[in-house]
Amino acid sequence: MKSDYSRDIFKQLEETMKRLDKMESTLENTKIKHKIEIGHLNDKIDSLGKENAALKIENTRLKDDNERLRRIINNDSTNSSLPPSSDEKPVKAANEFNHRNKTKKKQGAQKGHKGTTLTKAKVKEQIEKGAYDVKIKEIGKRSEHYVTRYVLDLQTRPVATEVRIYADENGKYNIPKEYNSEVTYGDTIKALSVLLYSEGVVANDRIAEVINAISNNTLNISSGTVYNFCASFSTLSEESRKQIENDLLNSVVLYTDGTVVTENGKQAIIRNVSNKQSVMYTALENKKISAMKASVLWGEFMGVFVHDHETALYHFGTDHGECNVHLERYLMKNSEESKNSWSNDMIHFLSGINHAKKKRIAEGDTAFSKEQLDSYSKRYNEILKCGYEQNKKTKGKYAKSEEKKLLNRLKKYKKNHLSKLILSVAV
C-alpha cells in the first residue's frame, strides 16, 4: 500500500516537472518573441526619430524661406531702395496711405513757401501775352450779365509747315542741310522725345507710341527715328555737358545714386551726379569700380561724395557721406521685422540732428559747438549699444542676421553717417 502511494507521488512529481519544462519552454519562446518585437519597435523608433529630425530640419528651412520671402514681399519705397513705382497699390484710399511721421504742421503750403494757386488774373495775363488761345463756352441764356470761369487745357494737333525754298539769281535752289529730306520732323517733336528719354528714362519704342497717340496715329514715328533724335541731341549738347561736368568737378559736395535699367536685354546702370545747380546722367555697364573709372568725373573729383552706402564709391573722391534718407528706410524695415526699439530711436535721433542743423543755418550759424558734437556722438554710441543687446533676442534667422549687418555698418561708418549732420553745418 505504501509502495503504491510512493509511485503516485513520483508520478505526480514527474508530471509537474514536465509541465514546468513546458512552461519554461513557452516562457523562453515568449521572451525570444518579445525580444524580436522590441527590436522591431526600437528600429521603428529609430526610423521615426530620424524622420522627425529630418522634418525639423525641413520645418526650419521652410520657416527661413517664409521669413525671407516675407521680407521681400514687405519691401517698398518706404523701407528699402526700391522706387515708388514698385509699391503695391494700397488697400486704403490714397490720402490715407502714408508712411510719413505725423507732424503738427497744417496741411498745404508751409510758411515761406511761395504758393502756385491759379487765379483769373494770372490767366488773363497769359491771354494778353498771347500765351493762350481763347475759346468761349456759354452756359445759360445770353445776356449782358455773366460770371467767368476758366478751364485750362492742352490741344495737340499735328502741324505741317510748308517750307518754300526759292531759286537764287542763277536759278539754283540752295536747300539748307536740315531740309535735305523732303519731310522732316520739327523741334517740338524732337524736344519731347529727348525729354521723355532723358528725364523720364522711357524706352524709344514707347516714346514713339506716345507721340503717335498724341497725333491720332498720323505721324507714324518709329523707334529708330526717336533714337536718331536723341543721338543728335547728344552731339549738339556736348559743349553744355562739358560745362555741367566742370561745375560738378568744382563742387565741394556731390550727391549720387544709381538706377537699374535694361539695355538690349541686359541690366545696366543710369548713374546721376548732382549739386544744387547741375545734374549729370551717365550710362554705366554696372556699379563696379572698373565701370566708374571710365568716367572723367569719378577720376578727377576731389570733394565729398554722398551716396547710399555704395562701398565701390569709397575709391573715389576725398571723403564720403552716407545718405541718411536711405538709411532711415533700412531702419524702418528693421523696426517692422525685429520689433526692436533701437532702430526707431536712431531714426528720431538723426531727424532731430537734421532739424537742429537747419535751424542753426537759418539763424546764421556755421557749426555746432564741441559740446554738442560730443553729445551727439555719445548718443549715437548709446543707441548702437542698445541695438546689439536687443539683437541677441531678435527672432527670425534673416531678421537677426540683417539687423546685425545694419548695426555693424552703423558702427563702422559712424563718421560717414554723421558727416552731413554734425561734423560741419556749412557743408
Side-chain angles (χ1 to χ4, degrees), residues 116-147:
T116 57
T117 304
L118 287 171
T119 64
K120 287 199 294 184
K122 292 180 180 179
V123 174
K124 288 180 179 179
E125 181 181 345
Q126 294 296 330
I127 292 174
E128 291 173 358
K129 291 179 179 179
Y132 294 164
D133 290 336
V134 180
K135 291 183 177 180
I136 296 177
K137 177 180 179 180
E138 296 179 334
I139 299 177
K141 187 177 180 181
R142 182 180 294 183
S143 67
E144 296 181 358
H145 304 287
Y146 59 86
V147 294

Coordinates of all heavy atoms in Angstrom, one line a residue, residues 116-147:
T116 N 1.2 128.4 -55.5 CA 1.1 128.3 -57.0 C -0.4 128.3 -57.4 O -0.7 127.7 -58.4 CB 1.8 127.1 -57.5 OG1 1.3 125.9 -56.9 CG2 3.3 127.2 -57.3
T117 N -1.3 128.8 -56.6 CA -2.7 128.8 -56.8 C -3.0 129.6 -58.1 O -2.6 130.7 -58.3 CB -3.5 129.4 -55.7 OG1 -3.2 128.6 -54.5 CG2 -5.0 129.2 -55.9
L118 N -3.8 129.0 -59.0 CA -4.2 129.7 -60.2 C -5.3 130.7 -59.9 O -6.2 130.4 -59.1 CB -4.7 128.7 -61.3 CG -3.7 127.8 -61.9 CD1 -4.3 126.7 -62.7 CD2 -2.8 128.6 -62.8
T119 N -5.2 131.8 -60.6 CA -6.2 132.9 -60.4 C -6.6 133.4 -61.8 O -5.9 133.2 -62.8 CB -5.7 134.1 -59.6 OG1 -4.6 134.7 -60.3 CG2 -5.2 133.6 -58.2
K120 N -7.8 134.0 -61.9 CA -8.3 134.6 -63.1 C -7.3 135.6 -63.6 O -7.1 135.8 -64.8 CB -9.7 135.1 -63.0 CG -10.7 134.0 -62.9 CD -12.1 134.5 -63.2 CE -12.6 135.6 -62.2 NZ -14.0 136.0 -62.4
A121 N -6.7 136.4 -62.7 CA -5.8 137.5 -63.1 C -4.6 136.9 -63.8 O -4.2 137.5 -64.8 CB -5.4 138.2 -61.8
K122 N -4.1 135.8 -63.3 CA -2.9 135.1 -64.0 C -3.3 134.6 -65.4 O -2.5 134.7 -66.3 CB -2.4 134.0 -63.1 CG -1.8 134.5 -61.8 CD -1.3 133.3 -61.0 CE -0.6 133.7 -59.7 NZ -0.2 132.6 -58.8
V123 N -4.5 134.1 -65.5 CA -4.9 133.6 -66.8 C -5.1 134.7 -67.8 O -4.7 134.6 -68.9 CB -6.3 132.8 -66.6 CG1 -6.8 132.4 -68.0 CG2 -6.1 131.5 -65.8
K124 N -5.7 135.8 -67.3 CA -5.9 137.0 -68.2 C -4.6 137.5 -68.6 O -4.4 138.0 -69.8 CB -6.7 138.0 -67.5 CG -8.2 137.7 -67.3 CD -8.9 138.8 -66.6 CE -10.4 138.5 -66.4 NZ -11.1 139.5 -65.7
E125 N -3.6 137.5 -67.7 CA -2.3 138.0 -68.0 C -1.6 137.2 -69.2 O -1.0 137.7 -70.1 CB -1.4 137.9 -66.8 CG 0.0 138.5 -67.0 CD 0.9 138.4 -65.7 OE1 0.3 138.2 -64.6 OE2 2.1 138.5 -65.9
Q126 N -1.8 135.8 -69.1 CA -1.3 135.0 -70.1 C -2.0 135.2 -71.5 O -1.4 135.1 -72.5 CB -1.4 133.5 -69.7 CG -0.5 133.1 -68.5 CD 1.0 133.3 -68.8 OE1 1.4 133.1 -69.9 NE2 1.7 133.7 -67.7
I127 N -3.3 135.4 -71.4 CA -4.1 135.7 -72.6 C -3.6 136.9 -73.3 O -3.4 137.0 -74.5 CB -5.6 135.7 -72.3 CG1 -6.1 134.4 -71.8 CG2 -6.4 136.2 -73.5 CD1 -7.5 134.4 -71.3
E128 N -3.4 138.0 -72.5 CA -2.9 139.3 -73.1 C -1.5 139.1 -73.7 O -1.2 139.8 -74.7 CB -2.9 140.3 -71.9 CG -4.3 140.7 -71.5 CD -4.2 141.7 -70.3 OE1 -3.1 141.9 -69.8 OE2 -5.3 142.1 -69.8
K129 N -0.7 138.2 -73.1 CA 0.6 138.0 -73.7 C 0.6 137.1 -75.0 O 1.6 137.0 -75.7 CB 1.5 137.2 -72.7 CG 1.9 138.1 -71.5 CD 2.8 137.2 -70.5 CE 3.2 138.0 -69.3 NZ 4.1 137.2 -68.4
G130 N -0.6 136.6 -75.2 CA -0.7 135.7 -76.4 C -0.3 134.3 -76.1 O -0.1 133.5 -77.1
A131 N -0.1 133.9 -74.8 CA 0.4 132.6 -74.5 C -0.7 131.6 -74.6 O -0.4 130.4 -74.8 CB 1.0 132.6 -73.1
Y132 N -2.0 132.0 -74.4 CA -3.1 131.1 -74.5 C -4.0 131.4 -75.7 O -4.2 132.6 -76.0 CB -4.0 131.2 -73.2 CG -3.3 130.7 -71.9 CD1 -3.9 131.1 -70.7 CD2 -2.2 129.9 -71.9 CE1 -3.3 130.7 -69.5 CE2 -1.6 129.5 -70.8 CZ -2.2 129.9 -69.6 OH -1.6 129.5 -68.4
D133 N -4.4 130.4 -76.4 CA -5.6 130.6 -77.3 C -6.8 130.7 -76.5 O -6.9 130.1 -75.4 CB -5.6 129.5 -78.3 CG -4.5 129.5 -79.3 OD1 -3.9 130.6 -79.5 OD2 -4.1 128.4 -79.8
V134 N -7.8 131.4 -77.0 CA -9.1 131.6 -76.3 C -10.3 131.0 -77.0 O -10.5 131.2 -78.2 CB -9.3 133.1 -76.0 CG1 -10.6 133.3 -75.2 CG2 -8.1 133.7 -75.2
K135 N -11.0 130.2 -76.2 CA -12.3 129.8 -76.7 C -13.4 130.2 -75.7 O -13.1 130.5 -74.5 CB -12.3 128.2 -76.8 CG -11.5 127.6 -77.9 CD -11.6 126.1 -77.9 CE -10.8 125.5 -79.0 NZ -11.0 124.0 -79.1
I136 N -14.6 130.3 -76.2 CA -15.7 130.8 -75.3 C -16.8 129.7 -75.3 O -17.2 129.3 -76.3 CB -16.3 132.1 -75.8 CG1 -15.2 133.2 -75.7 CG2 -17.5 132.5 -74.9 CD1 -15.7 134.6 -76.2
K137 N -17.2 129.3 -74.1 CA -18.3 128.4 -73.9 C -19.4 129.1 -73.1 O -19.1 129.7 -72.0 CB -17.8 127.1 -73.2 CG -18.9 126.1 -72.9 CD -18.3 124.9 -72.2 CE -19.4 123.9 -71.9 NZ -18.9 122.7 -71.2
E138 N -20.6 129.1 -73.5 CA -21.7 129.8 -72.8 C -22.6 128.8 -72.2 O -23.0 127.8 -72.8 CB -22.4 130.7 -73.8 CG -21.5 131.8 -74.4 CD -22.3 132.6 -75.4 OE1 -23.3 132.1 -76.0 OE2 -21.9 133.8 -75.6
I139 N -23.0 129.1 -71.0 CA -24.0 128.3 -70.2 C -25.1 129.2 -69.8 O -24.9 130.3 -69.2 CB -23.3 127.7 -69.0 CG1 -22.2 126.8 -69.3 CG2 -24.4 126.9 -68.1 CD1 -21.4 126.2 -68.2
G140 N -26.3 128.9 -70.2 CA -27.5 129.7 -69.9 C -27.8 130.6 -71.0 O -27.2 130.6 -72.1
K141 N -28.9 131.4 -70.9 CA -29.4 132.3 -71.9 C -28.5 133.5 -71.9 O -28.2 134.2 -70.9 CB -30.8 132.7 -71.6 CG -31.5 133.6 -72.7 CD -32.9 133.9 -72.3 CE -33.6 134.7 -73.4 NZ -35.0 135.0 -73.1
R142 N -28.0 133.9 -73.2 CA -27.1 135.0 -73.3 C -27.7 136.3 -72.9 O -28.9 136.6 -73.2 CB -26.7 135.1 -74.8 CG -25.6 136.3 -75.0 CD -25.2 136.3 -76.5 NE -24.5 135.1 -76.9 CZ -24.0 135.0 -78.1 NH1 -24.2 136.0 -79.0 NH2 -23.4 133.9 -78.4
S143 N -26.9 137.1 -72.1 CA -27.3 138.5 -71.6 C -26.1 139.3 -71.4 O -25.0 138.8 -71.6 CB -28.2 138.3 -70.4 OG -27.4 137.9 -69.3
E144 N -26.3 140.5 -70.9 CA -25.2 141.4 -70.6 C -24.4 141.0 -69.3 O -23.3 141.4 -69.1 CB -25.6 142.9 -70.5 CG -26.2 143.4 -71.8 CD -26.7 144.9 -71.6 OE1 -26.5 145.4 -70.5 OE2 -27.1 145.4 -72.6
H145 N -25.1 140.3 -68.4 CA -24.5 140.0 -67.1 C -24.1 138.5 -67.1 O -24.9 137.6 -67.4 CB -25.5 140.3 -66.0 CG -26.0 141.7 -66.1 ND1 -25.2 142.8 -65.7 CD2 -27.2 142.2 -66.5 CE1 -25.9 143.9 -65.8 NE2 -27.1 143.6 -66.3
Y146 N -22.9 138.2 -66.7 CA -22.4 136.8 -66.6 C -21.2 136.8 -65.7 O -20.5 137.9 -65.4 CB -22.1 136.2 -67.9 CG -21.0 137.0 -68.7 CD1 -19.6 136.7 -68.5 CD2 -21.4 138.0 -69.6 CE1 -18.7 137.4 -69.2 CE2 -20.4 138.7 -70.3 CZ -19.1 138.4 -70.1 OH -18.1 139.1 -70.8
V147 N -20.8 135.6 -65.2 CA -19.6 135.4 -64.4 C -18.7 134.5 -65.2 O -19.2 133.7 -66.0 CB -19.9 134.8 -63.0 CG1 -20.6 135.8 -62.1 CG2 -20.6 133.5 -63.1

